[in-house]
Amino acid sequence: MMPSTESHRSAFGEKLHSLRHWINWSWVKNGLTVVFFCLVAYLLYQQAITIEWGKVFETLKNTSMVTLATGFGLGVLCYFVYAGYDLFGRYLLGLRVSVAKTWFVAWLSYAFNLNLSSLVGGIAFRYRLYSRLGVKAGDVTRILGISIATNWLGYILLAGGLFVSGQVNPPESWAVNATHLQFIGAAFIAVVLAYLGMCAFSKRREFQVRDTTLTLPSVSIAVLQLVVACAHWTLMASVIYQFLADDVNFPTVFAVLLVSSLAGVITHIPGGLGVLEAVFLALLAGQVEKSTILGSLFAYRCVFYLIPLAIATPTYLVFEAFTRPPQGDSETPNNERNKTTAALSEAESA
């Protein structure tokens, strides 16, 4: 029976080998690229038709120029800081892509992430953009993982501190009360301390998760991750606060933003559309009028979501038009295949 099994395996291997030669991979790649562009165009169209443009222009017109300029400036800083997440991946992986290009990819992805969902903006765009710069898919996966970890480590540190402090008073209709949130906050802080402890004292620096290798950074890099992530979340809260400054204090805005961000992730709605407003209305009921909250959040979305998307879309098209993948990287699979074939031929002749 063994010779028959081996012959079947050999025949299957030959068929698979011939199939690989039969498939035109350049056509497959081009087809996937067309699908990607069509998907992005469709999502942008869907986003455009759901926006009340008359209300957008009216809100921008009725908001003071100082408030808009301050909010936009803080938003630019927030984007700038967030784009720094990918620089940790660049450093830890030793990539040859320049700092400017790495930052650019992260910034562009963030703009699409907020408006088109994390699956398209945060993941698909990163793979597309980094591939144009010659970065391998495996390294893109690790960069993405480091970026996500950095973002949420900062989140749980800030949320943990705010929840423990008792700044958040959930409505009675919620399943959790202030005491529950304090316990959750304590657990969040414990997670951050455990991460810092592993970075400082763990002798094992690499962990295998399926096909991806995770490397623990030094404790100094871990602390820097927390600083950058906390700065990002603080700047995001500052943008919203600019439009609510006359009605509520900054710690309250910060706490409500953190709660709404977690709710947005759970619901998987692009940009947390509706979720942000619902959480702010629930937690600020009785403190701020409903019309004021909705108007302020709409102005925030204009400054933090729509204007960056309007800038990012033509910027991305220009990037696609003028960026060509490094020739060396595109030829690498063929070179490796030729080397493997030559080695097998030598082995058979020997």
Side-chain angles (χ1 to χ4, degrees), residues 30 46 64 67 74-75 83 99 134 166 200 209 213 240 242 252 260 264 269 271 277 292-293 310 320 329 338 343:
N30 292 337
Q46 289 293 319
S64 70
T67 302
L74 289 171
V99 170
V209 179
T213 301
I240 300 179
Q242 289 303 307
T252 301
S260 65
I269 298 176
E277 289 78 2
T292 301
I293 295 174
E320 282 284 351
D329 290 346
N338 292 338

Side-chain angles (χ1 to χ4, degrees), residues 20-304:
R20 288 175 178 174
H21 281 284
W22 178 79
I23 295 175
N24 191 324
W25 291 108
S26 63
W27 288 6
V28 174
K29 181 180 178 181
N30 292 337
L32 291 175
T33 301
V34 171
V35 171
F36 175 77
F37 277 113
C38 290
L39 175 62
V40 171
Y42 171 75
L43 291 174
L44 288 173
Y45 171 74
Q46 289 293 319
Q47 182 80 342
I49 62 176
T50 57
I51 296 172
E52 300 178 45
W53 291 105
K55 188 176 179 181
V56 170
F57 295 125
E58 182 181 355
T59 300
L60 295 177
K61 182 180 178 180
N62 294 334
T63 307
S64 70
M65 289 301 297
V66 174
T67 302
L68 286 174
T70 304
F72 181 72
L74 289 171
V76 170
L77 286 176
C78 185
Y79 272 72
F80 185 90
V81 173
Y82 178 89
Y85 289 174
D86 282 27
L87 297 180
F88 288 111
R90 174 187 177 274
Y91 172 78
L92 293 173
L93 299 178
L95 300 180
R96 295 183 179 180
V97 180
S98 69
V99 170
K101 290 181 179 179
T102 303
W103 180 90
F104 173 79
V105 168
W107 168 80
L108 207 58
S109 299
Y110 189 44
F112 287 108
N113 181 9
L114 290 176
N115 290 276
L116 304 182
S117 81
S118 58
L119 181 62
V120 176
I123 299 176
F125 263 92
R126 266 193 175 88
Y127 278 98
R128 175 65 184 174
L129 293 168
Y130 275 122
S131 68
R132 302 286 287 176
L133 298 177
V135 179
K136 297 178 181 178
D139 287 335
V140 179
T141 302
R142 298 177 70 182
I143 291 174
L144 182 61
I146 293 169
S147 178
I148 293 173
T150 301
N151 184 56
W152 288 105
L153 281 169
Y155 173 90
I156 63 176
L157 176 60
L158 290 170
L162 283 170
F163 293 168
V164 168
S165 70
Q167 289 287 337
V168 183
N169 294 312
E172 294 182 359
S173 59
W174 284 31
V176 296
N177 55 34
T179 303
H180 293 152
L181 283 181
Q182 287 182 317
F183 280 110
I184 294 172
F188 279 0
I189 293 176
V191 170
V192 174
L193 292 177
Y195 174 69
L196 292 174
M198 290 179 64
C199 293
F201 303 111
S202 177
K203 294 181 179 179
R204 183 181 177 186
R205 309 307 295 181
E206 291 188 350
F207 299 86
Q208 193 72 26
V209 179
R210 294 185 178 181
D211 297 330
T212 303
T213 301
L214 304 179
T215 304
L216 279 178
S218 63
V219 67
S220 59
I221 294 296
V223 171
L224 187 58
Q225 283 180 291
L226 292 172
V227 170
V228 172
C230 288
H232 164 249
W233 285 102
T234 303
L235 285 168
M236 188 188 300
S238 300
V239 177
I240 300 179
Y241 177 68
Q242 289 303 307
F243 302 102
L244 286 167
D246 296 333
D247 302 285
V248 65
N249 59 43
F250 181 72
T252 301
V253 172
F254 207 161
V256 178
L257 170 67
L258 294 176
V259 174
S260 65
S261 297
L262 184 60
V265 171
I266 293 172
T267 56
H268 297 290
I269 298 176
L273 195 60
V275 178
L276 181 71
E277 289 78 2
V279 174
F280 266 82
L281 287 172
L283 293 181
L284 297 181
Q287 301 182 50
V288 187
E289 292 185 3
K290 179 179 178 180
S291 59
T292 301
I293 295 174
L294 293 177
S296 300
L297 292 179
F298 196 84
Y300 160 72
R301 286 192 178 278
C302 292
V303 168
F304 200 75

